[in-house]
């Protein structure tokens, strides 16, 4: 069922030229970036199927994995809370805030926080929640919800952001994106340093170790999880990976699908609270258990990459703010996946959103975990239609008996190829007659979509009839997931090539710098002299400190806000992404200064993430992939948002290296 407000919002969005310009910028660049990023993993179809199986396994045995995950977190010193619904989660956070007499929260991006409307509840208690992701900060200044799960300000142009900063932050009007970004950096740095509590989401929890994986490009995730004395991590109960190897596989797909990157700039894997810190983990149900036992279960496989939003022709015209409920509130999750989980988690208010799809299948094709979104959307529609006829019951995330009956018939047909082929023919005839283009349906505007959208022509022949296998395809491509060959780990090209060479070229492509040397201390001194830098932060036992003293370079192991260069040690490098793996708690060296120097032994450059991920087990570790970056304003890449503007990797190629 559709609703009046939803239809009105659709009309507004379609006829808003500024919104259309902003949306075109976002989706076109995201789609191109995603396509380019996947070329470096030619085995991506296999990875996708493995990812599907991993997520299916987690959801199937969720209780077991949750139990394991919670036990490890408690052993790691994390205080774990379970919240059955939004109200309970909000109360847990408020209790922690009261306990700490907190007045200021520094928040990094969390869709769960949006889902439970946490900011509103904090403000009612007199607590200031400040969003620190640039896009989230912008929409918070406008008192809006994010319009996209990855790019919160995707609906805005640079002129709108410029005007906003002029009015709300008090800077002279400028459309210069680096200036706008630097302004946010200056304001938010103060927030990180003075916040009572840091609050983050969790991209993945690792059941086997209790690890919390948090990915951010700007570095705000690292700030909020490390600097405040109290950190609260908010996660949906389904966001688990069984172990670190599975995490590595999921991480090879998430950033490529989300932002077109091989790896997000800061990929943290946290196991223990930072020294002197208390960490709380709030695990939210809020309808997930019910969804898990419903025909919409597969929607819980989602890893929140946003690719289905960018691919969806409907979302690309409307943007996220058109996805509104009957009460006119904006859905926390828009787009194809949002049209399934918003009603699935939050109920009837959003059930009509499932109409906002042409069922073209672009969302399924884009999904890195191969969720059958068109199937999910038709199930929501079927449930809504049945309820409209007054046959609702409360079983299975709102699905009705008649829907279940329909699904049973569908399952019988789908498992018998001949019957399925006949049913497709009949369905094709039926839909042709009912198509708005058909002579039998003279009123194409009955849903609201007909005003501006042509429905696709129905194919004369079914897919199976038209399908001609490509050379090289074999019966393996048609086997069910469970029977397919297991994919290999690592990038095939990397395994054959030279790790150091690949590492250097990958980092250079991200504006990072590699300095090959047999004597890292002398090479760093030379670099510092060339820049006229006389004082640095130095992680202990990385460089020859006597030599630094002799050459007049001052160093400290303590915090010093005047310092612009930090020097740290890398545990390992990744050839296929140009990343370095380091201790996450070395913020003074690797995040706060404008220039980050790290020393890496050439022998520790490994081909790919799966080869290095076990090094993070039980530790607080971070994979750093280039300098801090954002593309939150008009998708324009800007370097140095919250973290360093430059990263220099001094690769020690001496015998001992
Ligand atoms: S449904 Fe798939 S494509 Fe959409 S956000 Fe989730 S994982 Fe990404």
């Amino acid at each position: 069922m559709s609703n009046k407000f939803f239809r009105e919002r659709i009309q507004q969005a379609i006829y808003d030229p500024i919104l259309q310009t902003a949306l075109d910028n976002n989706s076109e660049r995201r789609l191109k970036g995603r396509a380019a990023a996947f070329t470096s993993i030619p085995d991506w179809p296999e990875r996708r199927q493995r990812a599907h199986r991993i997520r299916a396994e987690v959801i199937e045995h969720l209780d077991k994995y949750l139990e394991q995950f919670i036990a490890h977190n408690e052993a790691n010193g994390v205080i774990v809370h379970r919240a059955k619904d939004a109200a309970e989660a909000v109360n847990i956070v408020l209790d922690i805030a009261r306990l700490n007499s907190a007045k200021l929260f520094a928040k990094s991006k969390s869709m769960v926080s949006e889902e439970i409307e946490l900011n509103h509840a904090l403000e009612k208690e007199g607590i200031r929640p400040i969003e620190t992701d640039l896009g989230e900060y912008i929409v918070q200044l406008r008192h809006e919800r994010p319009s996209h799960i990855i790019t919160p300000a995707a609906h805005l142009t640079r002129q709108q952001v410029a005007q906003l900063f002029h009015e709300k932050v008090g800077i002279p009007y400028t459309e210069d994106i680096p200036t706008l970004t630097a302004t946010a950096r200056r304001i938010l740095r103060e927030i990180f340093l003075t916040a009572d509590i840091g609050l983050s989401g969790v991209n993945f929890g690792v059941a086997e170790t209790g690890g919390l994986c948090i990915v951010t490009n700007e570095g705000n995730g690292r700030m909020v999880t490390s600097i405040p004395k109290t950190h609260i991590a908010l996660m949906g109960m389904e966001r688990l990976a069984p172990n670190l190897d599975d995490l590595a596989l999921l991480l090879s797909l998430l950033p490529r699908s989300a932002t077109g990157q091989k790896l997000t700039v800061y990929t943290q894997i946290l196991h223990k609270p930072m020294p002197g810190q208390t960490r709380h983990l709030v695990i939210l149900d809020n309808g997930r258990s019910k969804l898990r036992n419903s025909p919409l279960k597969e929607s819980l496989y989602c890893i929140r990459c946003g690719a289905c939003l960018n691919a969806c022709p409907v979302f690309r015209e409307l943007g996220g703010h058109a996805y509104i409920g009957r009460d006119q509130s904006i859905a926390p999750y828009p787009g194809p996946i949002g049209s399934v989980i918003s009603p699935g988690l939050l109920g009837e208010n959003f059930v009509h959103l499932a109409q906002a799809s042409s069922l073209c299948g672009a969302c399924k094709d884009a999904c890195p975990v191969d969720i059958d979104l068109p199937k999910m959307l038709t199930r929501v529609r079927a449930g809504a239609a049945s309820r409209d006829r007054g046959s609702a019951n409360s079983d299975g995330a709102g699905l009705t008996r008649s829907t279940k009956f329909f699904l049973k018939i569908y399952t019988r047909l789908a498992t018998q190829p001949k019957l399925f082929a006949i049913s497709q023919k009949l369905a094709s005839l039926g839909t042709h007659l009912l198509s708005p283009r058909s002579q039998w349906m003279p009123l194409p505007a009955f849903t609201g979509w007909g005003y501006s959208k042509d429905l696709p022509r129905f194919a004369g022949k079914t897919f199976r009839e038209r399908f001609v296998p490509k050379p090289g395809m074999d019966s393996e491509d048609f086997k069910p997931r469970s029977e397919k060959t297991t994919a290999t780990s690592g990038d095939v090209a990397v395994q054959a090539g030279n790790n150091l060479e690949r590492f250097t070229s990958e980092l250079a492509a991200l504006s990072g710098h590699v300095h090959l040397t047999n004597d890292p201390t002398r090479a760093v001194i030379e670099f510092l002299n060339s820049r006229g830098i006389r004082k640095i932060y130095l992680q202990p036992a990385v460089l020859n400190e006597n030599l630094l003293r002799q050459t007049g370079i001052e160093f400290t192991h303590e915090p010093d806000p005047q310092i612009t260069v930090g020097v740290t040690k890398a545990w390992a490098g990744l050839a296929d992404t140009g990343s370095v793996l380091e201790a996450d708690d070395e913020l003074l060296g690797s995040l706060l200064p404008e220039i980050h120097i790290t020393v890496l032994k050439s022998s520790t450059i490994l081909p790919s993430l799966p080869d290095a991920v076990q090094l993070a087990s039980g530790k607080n570790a971070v994979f750093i992939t280039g300098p801090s970056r954002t593309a939150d304003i008009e998708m324009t890449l800007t370097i140095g948002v919250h973290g360093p503007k430059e990263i220099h990797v001094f690769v020690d190629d001496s015998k001992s290296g």
Side-chain angles (χ1 to χ4, degrees):
M1 143 174 186
S2 189
N3 90 13
K4 166 166 102 82
F5 302 122
F6 184 37
R7 286 200 302 273
E8 280 172 10
R9 198 61 73 90
I10 289 167
Q11 294 290 316
Q12 284 165 11
I14 288 169
Y15 292 113
D16 180 342
I18 297 175
L19 175 67
Q20 291 301 319
T21 305
L23 293 174
D24 288 348
N25 270 336
N26 178 66
S27 50
E28 273 170 33
R29 291 189 204 179
R30 285 283 186 235
L31 288 171
K32 277 187 196 151
R34 177 183 170 277
F38 273 94
T39 57
S40 62
I41 45 169
D43 62 339
W44 68 263
E46 292 152 24
R47 294 185 192 224
R48 186 179 187 230
Q49 297 312 323
R50 282 175 60 201
H52 185 99
R53 287 197 297 271
I54 289 168
R55 295 296 296 142
E57 160 71 18
V58 166
I59 301 305
E60 198 58 41
H61 302 106
L62 190 56
D63 296 340
K64 177 187 90 176
Y65 287 115
L66 268 174
E67 201 179 306
Q68 206 183 345
F69 177 63
I70 290 169
H72 281 295
N73 265 285
E74 287 175 343
N76 291 343
V78 177
I79 303 169
V80 182
H81 312 259
R82 305 267 320 246
K84 71 172 185 309
D85 56 23
E88 214 169 275
V90 166
N91 282 334
I92 291 166
V93 175
L94 289 179
D95 283 345
I96 298 168
R98 287 185 202 112
L99 200 69
N100 290 279
S101 309
K103 290 285 163 225
L104 179 63
F105 269 51
K107 293 180 70 205
S108 79
K109 206 164 175 306
S110 157
M111 290 311 295
V112 168
S113 161
E114 291 293 331
E115 181 185 326
I116 64 174
E117 303 194 0
L118 182 62
N119 284 5
H120 187 58
L122 290 171
E123 280 162 2
K124 265 175 56 187
E125 284 281 312
I127 298 165
R128 274 176 77 208
I130 304 291
E131 299 291 347
T132 61
D133 170 89
L134 178 60
E136 293 270 354
Y137 179 64
I138 290 167
V139 295
Q140 188 180 31
L141 285 178
R142 286 172 60 97
H143 305 289
E144 283 178 343
R145 270 205 151 162
S147 65
H148 189 291
I149 63 177
I150 296 295
T151 330
H155 57 297
L156 300 173
T157 60
R158 78 172 69 197
Q159 289 78 13
Q160 289 172 304
V161 177
Q163 189 60 33
L164 179 75
F165 274 46
H166 175 55
E167 285 169 13
K168 299 280 170 115
V169 180
I171 60 166
Y173 182 91
T174 174
E175 293 176 14
D176 182 56
I177 292 177
T179 305
L180 295 168
T181 305
T183 304
R185 176 185 170 111
R186 178 175 47 78
I187 294 168
L188 294 172
R189 181 62 68 98
E190 193 56 29
I191 299 293
F192 293 126
L193 297 174
T194 55
D196 304 299
I197 292 182
L199 187 138
S200 71
V202 177
N203 293 87
F204 298 106
V206 183
E208 181 190 57
T209 65
L212 307 179
C213 176
I214 299 165
V215 303
T216 59
N217 275 312
E218 300 175 6
N220 57 318
R222 291 186 69 198
M223 299 271 191
V224 307
T225 55
S226 303
I227 299 176
K229 287 273 175 252
T230 304
H231 167 222
I232 302 174
L234 261 183
M235 71 179 278
M237 67 192 283
E238 82 284 14
R239 301 298 296 277
L240 293 176
N243 54 50
L244 287 166
D245 292 332
D246 291 336
L247 173 72
L249 187 270
L250 293 170
L251 286 174
S252 74
L253 298 170
L254 172 64
R256 281 181 166 90
S257 306
T259 51
Q261 292 167 281
K262 292 176 182 167
L263 207 54
T264 309
V265 176
Y266 300 105
T267 301
Q268 297 172 266
I269 303 177
L270 303 176
H271 283 97
K272 295 176 193 301
M274 302 298 172
Q277 185 193 56
T278 307
R279 174 168 294 143
H280 296 264
L281 171 63
V282 183
I283 302 174
L284 179 70
D285 186 323
N286 204 31
R288 287 163 174 79
S289 292
K290 201 171 162 193
L291 205 56
R292 188 173 156 239
N293 294 310
S294 82
L296 304 180
K297 175 162 89 175
E298 197 178 328
S299 63
L300 290 173
Y301 301 179
C302 175
I303 58 172
R304 305 282 190 272
C305 71
C308 58
L309 280 65
N310 301 331
C312 175
V314 176
F315 181 88
R316 287 163 60 177
E317 294 294 315
L318 302 185
H321 288 167
Y323 290 72
I324 59 167
R326 286 178 190 160
D327 64 359
Q328 300 194 58
S329 65
I330 294 173
Y333 302 102
I337 185 62
S339 300
V340 178
I341 58 172
S342 292
L345 298 177
L346 305 170
E348 289 278 318
N349 191 31
F350 295 111
V351 85
H352 55 274
L353 298 184
Q355 299 294 335
S357 169
S358 60
L359 300 181
C360 63
C363 50
K364 182 182 188 306
D365 290 348
C367 180
V369 287
D370 196 18
I371 296 173
D372 195 340
L373 284 158
K375 186 171 77 184
M376 299 287 106
L377 287 162
T378 52
R379 287 179 177 182
V380 176
R381 286 183 186 184
S386 302
R387 273 193 298 282
D388 288 347
R389 288 194 298 273
S391 58
N393 69 27
S394 59
D395 284 338
L399 290 192
T400 59
R401 283 192 197 95
S402 54
T403 308
K404 286 176 182 168
F405 176 68
F406 164 78
L407 292 172
K408 242 185 211 167
I409 294 178
Y410 178 82
T411 308
R412 288 286 283 278
L413 289 174
T415 50
Q416 297 179 50
K418 277 188 187 153
L419 267 180
F420 188 69
I422 294 167
S423 72
Q424 277 184 308
K425 285 271 184 204
L426 290 173
S428 171
L429 180 66
T431 46
H432 179 74
L433 292 174
L434 291 171
S435 162
R437 286 165 172 259
S438 158
Q439 55 176 314
W440 303 102
M441 184 56 71
L443 293 173
F446 65 99
T447 62
W449 289 108
Y451 288 121
S452 63
K453 306 281 175 192
D454 285 338
L455 291 189
R457 288 175 190 279
F458 290 96
K461 289 182 172 184
T462 65
F463 175 76
R464 276 169 176 268
E465 288 165 345
R466 284 177 292 139
F467 182 74
V468 181
K470 282 186 195 159
M473 271 187 168
D474 57 27
S475 56
E476 183 77 358
D477 295 301
F478 302 96
K479 282 185 186 168
R481 284 187 186 95
S482 55
E483 291 172 24
K484 284 193 179 183
T485 322
T486 311
T488 53
S489 78
D491 184 327
V492 175
V494 168
Q495 287 167 358
N498 178 302
N499 287 345
L500 175 59
E501 222 170 85
R502 181 75 188 270
F503 177 83
T504 305
S505 70
E506 289 294 331
L507 189 58
L510 298 168
S511 317
H513 308 270
V514 172
H515 308 254
L516 193 61
T517 175
N518 287 323
D519 186 342
T521 305
R522 285 190 192 283
V524 169
I525 291 169
E526 210 171 291
F527 171 79
L528 295 172
N529 286 337
S530 74
R531 296 288 187 98
I533 295 161
R534 309 309 303 163
K535 188 169 180 186
I536 58 172
Y537 165 85
L538 179 63
Q539 185 182 350
V542 177
L543 296 178
N544 179 338
E545 298 185 0
N546 283 333
L547 193 56
L548 286 172
R549 280 191 202 95
Q550 283 165 20
T551 51
I553 301 286
E554 272 186 74
F555 58 87
T556 175
H557 303 309
E558 303 300 326
D560 182 342
Q562 301 308 320
I563 281 177
T564 54
V565 176
V567 181
T568 61
K569 181 181 178 175
W571 302 340
L574 303 181
D576 71 339
T577 56
S579 316
V580 287
L581 172 64
E582 306 207 347
D584 187 48
D585 31 19
E586 274 298 331
L587 291 190
L588 295 175
S590 64
L591 194 63
L592 294 174
E594 300 213 337
I595 300 172
H596 174 209
I597 290 175
T598 186
V599 178
L600 171 71
K601 289 184 176 175
S602 59
S603 57
T604 62
I605 302 178
L606 302 168
S608 191
L609 183 62
D611 306 297
V613 74
Q614 292 296 341
L615 296 172
S617 184
K619 304 188 181 78
N620 290 331
V622 59
F623 290 92
I624 301 174
T625 310
S628 157
R629 61 174 55 204
T630 185
D632 274 345
I633 304 176
E634 273 194 359
M635 286 294 297
T636 303
L637 178 65
T638 313
I639 299 291
V641 195
H642 298 305
K645 294 186 169 91
E646 294 179 36
I647 180 166
H648 295 263
V649 182
F650 285 76
V651 177
D652 181 358
D653 203 28
S654 62
K655 282 235 167 69
S656 60

